[in-house]
Amino acid sequence: MSKKLYIPGPVEVSADVLEAMATPMIGHRMKEYAVLHKEVTDGLQKLLNAPGPVFLSTSSAFGVMEGAVRNLVQKRCASFANGAFSKKWHDVTLRCGLEADLFSTEWGQPVTGEMVDAALSTGKYDAMTVVHNETSTGVMSPLDEIAAVMKKYPEVSFIVDTVSSMSAVPLDVTALGIDVCLAGVQKAFALPPGLAVFTATQKALDKARTTPNRGYYFDFEEFEKNAAKNNTPSTPCISQIYALRHQLQKMFAEGLENRYARHQEMAEKTRAWALKQGFGLYAAEGARSQTLTTVLNDGGTDVARLKELAGERGYAMDGGYGKIKGETFRIPHMGDLTMTDMEEYFALLEELLPQVRN
């Protein structure tokens, strides 16, 4: 039995998206693909107000996360972390043989402009990485504030993971001055996993050309050369790109402001529901995600059993991530989900909670 997904990724995929993926296949060097590629990247440029090309990578977002540091860290990277995925990015950087330092805040707390300023003021770094919306904790760091600080350090490449925020909240990469902004499509874009998208400024592309040992698959110069022909360096996941075209069309038909408002409403209602049930909110006030809520267990709820019971009813539930598994659980509210979907899930959990509470 298939389960309806209430996990933070891959999220539930709509039937119309799956249908779009069944579009008959074309060759990626055919002119038909170039037309498709341009439609998608033009849509992404509009979504993100990107000053230059938006690239499509047949990989998870972590592929581009590795690619970004391999292309742009020439001296030393400042890795800012407040959860599992931002910390893992630091580990990826070290495994690439690059020099990097980790600057951490407590889980549940945001990365702040003050943290970034303190680190970069040392002059040691030519690149930094930060996760906008830390999926492990449900914390959204203040990107505007961080971007304002980054304007003081134009020599430092500003690399941002927006994996679980892109398309759910406004992201103007030009105004923010982000050098590389990346995401996977299995979260707020509500597509099956396997495709990543990213922007790169001309400054970042020029720097990448001077970086040795940056590899091939994620070589920004290869992406740039192929983008000029509306193509990719290697064979792309064409079915995913058909689906992304479909989703972009849906987003613009809904209206971006309406889309952002829908995500905000779902976030606010989810937080209110959690508090009403006697739970807490793990993320610090003022830094709570618009795409998922990390609910703090009241100590008397058997989250593992709740997840098991939800599964028996046909719903995939998240039971928390990493060191806060069980201590928390996460409720997604992103992509194609609506308040009707959220109310359906709330009703299920309310029915099950009496069975798993001491």
Side-chain angles (χ1 to χ4, degrees):
M1 179 181 71
S2 63
K3 296 178 182 177
K4 187 168 182 177
L5 302 182
Y6 283 93
I7 57 177
V11 301
E12 186 72 7
V13 177
S14 300
D16 55 291
V17 173
L18 297 175
E19 186 178 346
M21 292 184 70
T23 303
M25 190 50 52
I26 54 176
H28 66 293
R29 301 305 184 205
M30 292 167 60
K31 62 181 181 182
E32 289 86 348
Y33 176 76
V35 171
L36 170 66
H37 187 99
K38 188 174 191 308
E39 286 181 15
V40 168
T41 54
D42 283 354
L44 290 168
Q45 280 183 293
K46 179 181 176 183
L47 175 71
L48 302 170
N49 191 31
V54 182
F55 303 111
L56 306 179
S57 172
T58 297
S59 69
S60 69
F62 258 111
V64 182
M65 291 164 80
E66 175 171 324
V69 295
R70 292 194 68 176
N71 278 267
L72 296 177
V73 179
Q74 296 181 349
K75 185 168 64 172
R76 197 173 189 92
C77 184
S79 309
F80 295 94
N82 62 337
F85 296 105
S86 42
K87 186 176 180 182
K88 188 175 180 182
W89 201 353
H90 174 65
D91 184 43
V92 168
T93 306
L94 296 178
R95 291 197 197 191
C96 288
L98 300 166
E99 300 291 331
D101 295 313
L102 181 64
F103 298 90
S104 297
T105 187
E106 291 181 17
W107 283 36
Q109 297 295 322
V111 173
T112 64
E114 184 179 9
M115 277 179 65
V116 173
D117 199 13
L120 299 188
S121 65
T122 63
K124 294 180 180 179
Y125 307 101
D126 73 322
M128 65 86 85
T129 62
V130 65
V131 172
H132 178 212
N133 195 70
E134 175 54 75
T135 313
S136 66
T137 60
V139 171
M140 184 172 282
S141 292
L143 198 53
D144 288 352
E145 177 187 310
I146 293 167
V149 169
M150 290 304 299
K151 294 189 190 316
K152 295 170 57 178
Y153 303 99
E155 74 284 0
V156 180
S157 296
F158 184 14
I159 311 170
V160 185
D161 163 340
T162 61
V163 168
S164 56
S165 59
M166 187 183 286
S167 86
V169 300
L171 280 172
D172 185 330
V173 300
T174 298
L176 293 166
I178 299 173
D179 287 305
V180 173
C181 183
L182 63 96
V185 298
Q186 75 279 11
K187 296 187 185 291
F189 281 101
L191 302 181
L195 175 66
V197 304
F198 68 102
T199 67
T201 60
Q202 194 59 52
K203 182 176 76 170
L205 296 172
D206 291 343
K207 182 181 182 183
R209 272 190 285 276
T210 69
T211 305
N213 302 317
R214 60 186 184 270
Y216 172 76
Y217 195 81
F218 298 106
D219 181 353
F220 283 6
E221 186 175 13
E222 293 292 336
F223 277 95
E224 183 184 21
K225 287 190 299 187
N226 281 276
K229 300 177 287 187
N230 293 308
N231 221 297
T232 55
S234 52
T235 309
C237 46
I238 296 170
S239 296
Q240 292 276 59
I241 295 167
Y242 275 126
L244 179 53
R245 179 179 66 178
H246 176 74
Q247 282 295 65
L248 287 166
Q249 290 168 347
K250 282 173 62 177
M251 287 178 197
F252 295 129
E254 180 181 10
L256 293 182
E257 293 306 317
N258 293 331
R259 180 178 176 81
Y260 303 147
R262 173 167 58 84
H263 280 81
Q264 183 173 347
E265 181 189 15
M266 290 192 296
E268 290 171 353
K269 294 288 178 64
T270 301
R271 294 172 204 146
W273 176 86
L275 294 172
K276 185 178 178 182
Q277 300 306 312
F279 294 112
L281 301 173
Y282 186 78
E285 187 173 358
R288 289 168 184 154
S289 170
Q290 297 285 70
T291 58
L292 71 140
T293 294
T294 301
V295 179
L296 184 61
N297 192 356
D298 55 8
T301 298
D302 185 342
V303 172
R305 179 59 180 154
L306 181 61
K307 179 180 176 181
E308 183 180 328
L309 290 173
E312 291 172 1
R313 295 286 294 273
Y315 294 81
M317 175 189 170
D318 172 82
Y321 189 88
K323 69 180 185 180
I324 56 173
K325 183 176 182 179
E327 178 188 339
T328 64
F329 60 95
R330 297 175 297 172
I331 300 178
H333 31 80
M334 64 179 117
D336 287 340
L337 292 176
T338 65
M339 272 311 306
T340 300
D341 295 301
M342 302 314 300
E343 288 161 1
E344 175 187 335
Y345 192 52
F346 298 156
L348 170 80
L349 295 181
E350 286 173 31
E351 182 183 339
L352 298 178
L353 278 171
Q355 303 177 48
V356 297
R357 281 185 153 161
N358 296 334

